[in-house]
Amino acid sequence: MPLEGQNEMRSDLMKKGVEKAPHRSLFKAMGYTQTEIDRPLIGVVNSANEIIPGHIHLDKIAEGVKAGIRLAGGTPVEFSTIGVCDGLAMNHAGMRYSLASRELIADSVEIMATAHPFDGLVLVPNCDKIIPGMMMAALRLNIPAILVSGGPMLAGRVGGKPVDLISVFEGVGALRAGQISPAELEELEEQACPGCGSCAGMFTANSMNCLAEALGLALPGNGTIPAVTAARIRLAKEAGMKIMELVSRDLKPREIASMNAFRNAIAVDMALGCSTNTVLHVPAIANEAGIRLDLGLFNEISARTPHLCSLRPGGAHFLEDLHSAGGVQAVMKELARRDLVELASITATGKTVGENLENVRILRPEVIRSLDNPYHSEGGIAVLYGNIAPEGAVVKQSAVAPQMLVRKGRARVFESESDAAGAILEGRIVAGDVVVIRYEGPKGGPGMQEMLTPTAAIIGRGLGADVALITDGRFSGGTQGAAIGHISPEAAVGGPIAFIEEGDEILVDIPGKKLELLVDSAVIAKRKEAWKPREPRIKSGYLARYASMVTSGARGAVLQNE
């Protein structure tokens, strides 16, 4: 029956009345009792699979969610989505499908929750595109929803030193440079990923899980409670119980994810030093709520929000350290001391941000620094502009070596990620070079590949303080160094990155928010006149359709409806 104070349920569309007898018969064919059918039906969107380490255990998280729903008087109904492991898709054709999978995930949840009108949703993702895809669907559908992730992986250990997946990617470059032995790389391979969970640093998956918490669509602890702990199962049960409260109150995602909530999330993004991919995903999520987040807002919030946590890949701490220090809520509590987060916003707890933070404190000040002692006075991400990137480009400035913050260099131009990666690993890139990788944007890739292999190779070969990389593609959350991505407009649509030639001088000025091609404007104009669009790499299938509809990285690489 409906919850107290609630006369009708959304699920009544498929289960109430004489004319729905056939529908109820189909439920009974699956073993549902009439009592279960009468209760609120809660969709449990489970992205568990056997190809992503962050998802291998989501069956247990979903069972916890379902237990919580039943405890609170609801009936859970589980269904699935796809998921791509970015690590396994890296540096081959599969990476073109990673970002593109976000739209399919959002669409599939929309389809399932409209074809079968659930009263509420619990979203169970854990990795890169799956998290924003599910959040996009929640805001598009705008029915009561809550997200609970599978949690971060613990760090591995080699010789007493903590390591993670990025250590292995960088180890490949170190091996090629003769800095480590094959046996040492093999030990890294064996030890870096000790078990299930999203990879252990502040990479894209953990960034998005933390921002889901900061946005208010997930419960406190969602971003940092380790995957292997009992606390993660308890959180899943709490999320199952809490969705019943949200359904009873009819508290919907767009009421939670307001403009102020997005500002809070961006402030936390800056304080944590999150992945540059957040600058793709956060605007895409906001877009589903009818909110336009311009890239300039990221610079505006970054300018006033100190960088408080030095997390992998740019720093020494891991997600387990952030959790033991008080987690996302402790970071928000510190930001609130300077009115850098808005406290009146409602959250999935049913309480406001301020109410959630009442009893929170920082437990390890060496992990979460105070506003008076930040790692950097500005936030972790910067958006650069200039004649290479008129619509913007993104860099994780908190992970850039100080000597690379302002640098002129010689352009080394590559038409694909694989060509650039080969040149770096073979030692053909030297100090002072600026690696340019183009035709890897949302349309040109298509799919905007992550560039972890070349950036990790630069670091692994000891060139992190001497070589910059710029691209219309994007980076893994595990990337560090002067890696500037999302250059918009992209080369495939005639963006200025298409007109750079080998040997040109490029200025990178991160504090000044500039990315400039130091070539006379008349010369650039002549190159533009001579430019012709390239033949698309992929002409059939999903990626061809995606390329025809996708917008620029500056707009979050969302699909156009018209």
Side-chain angles (χ1 to χ4, degrees), residues 102 131-133 135-136 139 204 207-212 214-215 257-259 261-270 274-289 291-295 297-298 301 381 486 553-558:
R102 186 187 71 184
I131 305 157
M135 293 170 73
M136 288 165 67
L139 286 165
T204 304
S207 294
M208 291 309 304
N209 279 326
C210 287
L211 295 192
L215 191 58
S258 64
M259 184 63 185
F262 278 102
R263 287 179 175 273
N264 284 354
I266 295 171
V268 170
D269 188 345
M270 298 305 161
C274 289
S275 164
T276 52
N277 283 315
T278 60
V279 184
L280 283 174
H281 298 319
V282 173
I285 295 164
N287 182 67
E288 297 290 350
I291 297 172
R292 180 72 181 264
L293 295 183
D294 293 323
L295 290 189
L297 180 63
F298 286 82
I301 293 175
I381 289 175
H486 309 194
R555 290 184 56 190
V558 297

Side-chain angles (χ1 to χ4, degrees), residues 385-392 487-489 496:
Y385 297 92
N387 64 357
I388 295 177
E391 295 176 6
I487 289 176
S488 299

Side-chain angles (χ1 to χ4, degrees), residues 81-144:
T81 73
I82 62 169
V84 171
C85 177
D86 280 23
L88 293 174
M90 195 70 64
N91 199 28
H92 61 84
M95 179 47 72
R96 302 192 191 284
Y97 288 84
S98 175
L99 178 61
S101 73
R102 186 187 71 184
E103 315 310 310
L104 285 177
I105 291 162
D107 290 351
S108 68
V109 177
E110 175 196 355
I111 289 168
M112 289 296 289
T114 307
H116 318 100
F118 297 109
D119 299 299
L121 294 174
V122 181
L123 311 167
V124 187
N126 207 27
C127 290
D128 294 15
K129 297 337 138 293
I130 301 97
I131 305 157
M134 286 194 184
M135 293 170 73
M136 288 165 67
L139 286 165
R140 185 184 303 172
L141 291 161
N142 202 34
I143 62 174

Side-chain angles (χ1 to χ4, degrees), residues 110-383:
E110 175 196 355
I111 289 168
M112 289 296 289
T114 307
H116 318 100
F118 297 109
D119 299 299
L121 294 174
V122 181
L123 311 167
V124 187
N126 207 27
C127 290
D128 294 15
K129 297 337 138 293
I130 301 97
I131 305 157
M134 286 194 184
M135 293 170 73
M136 288 165 67
L139 286 165
R140 185 184 303 172
L141 291 161
N142 202 34
I143 62 174
I146 190 169
L147 182 144
V148 57
S149 75
M153 186 184 293
L154 296 175
R157 294 289 188 278
V158 171
K161 177 185 175 183
V163 292
D164 56 30
L165 178 66
I166 307 309
S167 307
V168 189
F169 274 97
E170 293 172 357
V172 173
L175 176 68
R176 292 289 185 91
Q179 296 171 2
I180 65 172
S181 69
E184 288 174 306
L185 179 59
E186 185 176 352
E187 186 178 14
L188 268 176
E189 176 186 326
E190 290 285 339
Q191 303 299 330
C193 299
C196 65
S198 45
C199 296
M202 190 53 79
F203 314 139
T204 304
N206 290 325
S207 294
M208 291 309 304
N209 279 326
C210 287
L211 295 192
E213 183 179 334
L215 191 58
L217 291 174
L219 297 178
N222 179 74
T224 60
I225 295 173
V228 295
T229 60
R232 178 58 60 174
I233 302 298
R234 293 196 298 271
L235 184 73
K237 292 178 180 178
E238 289 167 10
M241 291 186 281
K242 187 59 66 172
I243 189 61
M244 298 302 294
E245 179 184 327
L246 300 185
V247 168
S248 178
R249 294 175 57 174
D250 199 28
L251 182 56
K252 299 185 179 74
R254 293 186 193 178
E255 296 170 64
I256 293 171
S258 64
M259 184 63 185
N260 282 336
F262 278 102
R263 287 179 175 273
N264 284 354
I266 295 171
V268 170
D269 188 345
M270 298 305 161
L272 291 175
C274 289
S275 164
T276 52
N277 283 315
T278 60
V279 184
L280 283 174
H281 298 319
V282 173
I285 295 164
N287 182 67
E288 297 290 350
I291 297 172
R292 180 72 181 264
L293 295 183
D294 293 323
L295 290 189
L297 180 63
F298 286 82
N299 274 347
E300 174 193 321
I301 293 175
S302 181
R304 63 173 183 260
T305 308
H307 176 218
L308 303 181
C309 302
S310 187
L311 300 160
R312 287 280 292 163
H317 296 132
F318 294 79
L319 262 289
E320 61 200 77
D321 299 310
L322 178 59
H323 180 63
S324 66
V328 172
Q329 300 298 304
V331 173
M332 295 182 77
K333 183 68 173 277
E334 183 63 16
L335 293 175
R337 289 204 306 115
R338 201 176 288 174
D339 297 325
L340 295 172
V341 293
E342 195 271 336
L343 299 177
S345 294
I346 194 70
T347 72
T349 64
K351 300 177 181 178
T352 65
V353 172
E355 290 171 328
N356 290 342
L357 298 180
E358 282 180 3
N359 299 314
V360 171
R361 61 191 179 92
I362 294 172
L363 302 175
R364 293 179 61 190
E366 76 278 13
V367 176
I368 303 174
R369 289 192 176 184
S370 73
L371 291 166
D372 304 317
N373 181 38
Y375 284 96
H376 302 98
S377 60
E378 289 192 5
I381 289 175
V383 179

Side-chain angles (χ1 to χ4, degrees), residues 399-401 403-405 407-410 412 414 420 424 428-436 454-455 457-459 461-470 480-484 508:
V400 178
Q403 56 267 54
M404 288 299 295
L405 290 171
R407 176 68 67 99
K408 292 179 183 177
R410 177 184 64 148
R412 303 296 309 280
F414 300 92
I424 297 163
R428 290 188 277 127
I429 300 301
V430 298
D433 285 347
V434 177
V435 177
V436 179
T455 57
I458 288 170
I459 299 299
R461 293 188 68 87
L463 295 170
D466 299 293
V467 170
L469 188 154
I470 69 172
Q480 59 175 306
I484 301 164
V508 175

Side-chain angles (χ1 to χ4, degrees), residues 8-20:
E8 294 183 358
M9 294 185 286
R10 191 169 178 268
S11 61
D12 287 346
L13 291 170
M14 63 177 171
K15 69 182 188 183
K16 188 175 182 180
V18 172
E19 70 280 7
K20 297 303 190 303

